[in-house]
């Protein structure tokens, strides 16, 4: 199952708070059409899980909603935060271990 770091959970909570959906909302991953034969993930802030979504709740109470194919793809991954080259923070999907 997808693991969520404390930093990622705090970022999810901040995003959902901005949208006024902190308690029930979360970050949703869904698989998109493959790009150059590589799986592609779509990431959105959602007010609630879609029907059939797996729900991962971090210790900090942040929710991640996973569409079925995304849940399979992310089952051995960790959701974290990393600094981009421009200094902005972005979500990163890393290997567990």
């Amino acid at each position: 199952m997808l693991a969520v770091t404390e930093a990622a959970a705090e970022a999810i909570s901040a995003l959902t708070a901005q949208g006024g959906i902190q308690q029930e909302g979360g970050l949703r991953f869904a698989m998109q059409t493959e790009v150059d034969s590589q799986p592609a993930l779509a990431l959105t802030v959602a007010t609630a899980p879609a029907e059939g979504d797996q729900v991962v709740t971090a210790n900090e109470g942040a929710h991640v909603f996973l569409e079925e194919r995304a849940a399979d793809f992310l089952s051995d991954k960790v959701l974290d935060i990393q600094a981009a080259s421009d200094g902005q923070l972005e979500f990163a999907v890393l290997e567990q271990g």
Side-chain angles (χ1 to χ4, degrees):
M1 179 174 282
L2 177 71
V4 180
T5 66
E6 185 176 336
E10 290 173 4
I12 294 166
S13 293
L15 283 172
T16 55
Q18 285 176 351
I21 56 171
Q22 188 168 10
Q23 296 301 317
E24 67 279 359
L27 203 60
R28 184 172 192 268
F29 283 96
M31 295 302 291
Q32 296 294 303
T33 305
E34 292 187 2
V35 177
D36 297 327
S37 74
Q38 296 294 318
L41 287 167
L43 181 64
T44 56
V45 176
T47 57
E51 186 174 329
D53 280 0
Q54 282 188 21
V55 178
V56 176
T57 302
N59 291 342
E60 293 74 21
H63 303 292
V64 179
F65 310 134
L66 303 171
E67 176 263 337
E68 184 178 350
R69 292 183 306 147
D72 289 341
F73 179 74
L74 296 169
S75 65
D76 61 346
K77 306 288 190 289
V78 175
L79 181 63
D80 200 1
I81 294 289
Q82 292 183 338
S85 58
D86 63 0
Q88 295 288 324
L89 294 178
E90 59 188 20
F91 288 101
V93 176
L94 309 170
E95 294 292 327
Q96 284 186 22

